[in-house]
Amino acid sequence: MRRPVTLITGANGEIGHGLIEHFSRVADVSVVALDLKPLDEGLQGKVAATVVGDILEVDLLQRLVSEYELRAIYHLAALLSTRAEYSPDTAHRVNVEGTLNLLKLAHEQAVWHGRPVLFMFPSSIAVYGLPDLETKAACARVREVDHNFPTTMYGCNKLYCEQLGRYYAQYYRQLSAEPRTSGVDFRALRFPGLISATTMPTGGTSDFAPEMIHAAAAGRPYACFVGEHARLPFMAMPDAIRALTQLAAAPVSRLRQRIYNIGAFSLSAGEIRRRVLAAFPGAEITFQPDRARAAIVDSWPADVDDTAARQDWGWKPEYDADRAFGEYLVPTISRYYAGQA
Ligand code: SER
């Protein structure tokens, strides 16, 4: 008999770390971790199995399901926004074709074992594209349906894959002689910029926040690539993991949509600097905006309207900015770098 498992793609990434730690504390979930690179040492022993490979390799995915029965997929593998601008073709392949491969796999699995396959997809504030700073200031909390005009390849990829997921969940093979559900239970969260105390993102555009905090804690100077007034919504990693698992656990009958904004707090780069200086008074943080990356940040909303998530499945962040810095980021990062010294 094939073993029922939860598949996590992009397992070595920031969300993967948090999710694997979470599932290692939940007795009844066996995780298979898939990543291009061998799983980070600290995570080995916390998963049932690791597969090293590429989501674009269909043979690899077929080998995987010859051994395991997929009950849930957390499809985290992606090239983030800055990285994707340097290699848009590769980004499209990984972010779109990779997602399509996994949606197909989820459908095949659901047909094979006769149960729905939960498909959790991290989307992003990058799906929004505000035309100018006046509009950004005027619509402080953007709703899911507004300003869906991304200016990055990554944002386009995420927006399209949200729609592909919705299509698979609701309309796949709608004209076949015997139309029936695809069995793919697709659910997506539009994450704000995520900040983890224990890992660093690679290739994102909201990275100036985690980079600033980690550099200060490590005693390194930091030149911020956006100006001090650049403002984005952010979220502490424990809230991001809680949001994913909470949406995953919500009864499908409660979900009036499949794609949800979630918010926590909104800060400008200057406000982040002030908070970092309060915690690490000697930190050297300057502003040296990079025109193109700053323009991407300017096109993303200052904050999001997450009313639907709050109403449908009870979303409520546990970390506002004070608690995120005071109880999570500063103490955990300080301990981490003290241990490295
Ligand atoms: N944090 C991501 C990025 O900056 C946005 O989802 O690319």
Side-chain angles (χ1 to χ4, degrees), residues 80-82 123-126 154 191 193-194 203-207 300:
L80 293 185
S81 55
T82 292
S123 188
S124 163
I125 48 165
Y154 171 78
F191 281 117
L194 298 181
T205 316
S206 60
D207 295 5
W300 291 351

Side-chain angles (χ1 to χ4, degrees), residues 76-256:
L76 312 178
L79 257 62
L80 293 185
S81 55
T82 292
R83 171 102 190 274
E85 287 313 293
Y86 287 109
S87 17
D89 294 344
T90 308
H92 191 276
R93 270 199 301 283
V94 173
N95 295 351
V96 176
E97 290 172 35
T99 300
L100 189 59
N101 285 347
L102 284 148
L103 285 166
K104 285 184 194 160
L105 195 72
H107 166 63
E108 287 164 18
Q109 284 286 290
V111 170
W112 182 74
H113 58 56
R115 293 187 189 83
V117 173
L118 176 69
F119 195 109
M120 297 300 296
F121 184 69
S123 188
S124 163
I125 48 165
V127 302
Y128 297 108
L130 296 151
D132 47 52
L133 287 174
E134 291 70 42
T135 314
K136 179 163 173 161
C139 49
R141 299 178 76 238
V142 174
R143 297 180 312 163
E144 281 92 344
V145 292
D146 292 331
H147 296 292
N148 288 176
F149 299 103
T151 66
T152 60
M153 176 54 107
Y154 171 78
C156 293
N157 297 163
K158 287 288 183 189
L159 188 59
Y160 174 57
C161 287
E162 288 177 353
Q163 295 304 315
L164 268 184
R166 190 182 60 84
Y167 164 77
Y168 260 78
Q170 291 173 315
Y171 303 104
Y172 185 65
R173 297 251 158 102
Q174 56 190 309
L175 297 186
S176 68
E178 288 172 50
R180 57 175 179 177
T181 161
S182 71
V184 180
D185 183 359
F186 178 87
R187 305 177 183 198
L189 286 171
R190 286 185 182 165
F191 281 117
L194 298 181
I195 314 179
S196 166
T198 52
T199 53
M200 286 286 287
T202 43
T205 316
S206 60
D207 295 5
F208 62 88
E211 283 174 4
M212 197 185 286
I213 304 166
H214 281 260
R220 291 190 307 266
Y222 183 68
C224 182
F225 59 80
V226 298
E228 61 182 308
H229 299 295
R231 178 177 290 277
L232 285 182
F234 288 100
M235 181 176 284
M237 190 56 82
D239 265 345
I241 302 304
R242 213 167 46 78
L244 267 175
T245 53
Q246 208 172 314
L247 176 59
V252 74
S253 57
R254 296 291 307 271
L255 306 181
R256 288 174 302 164

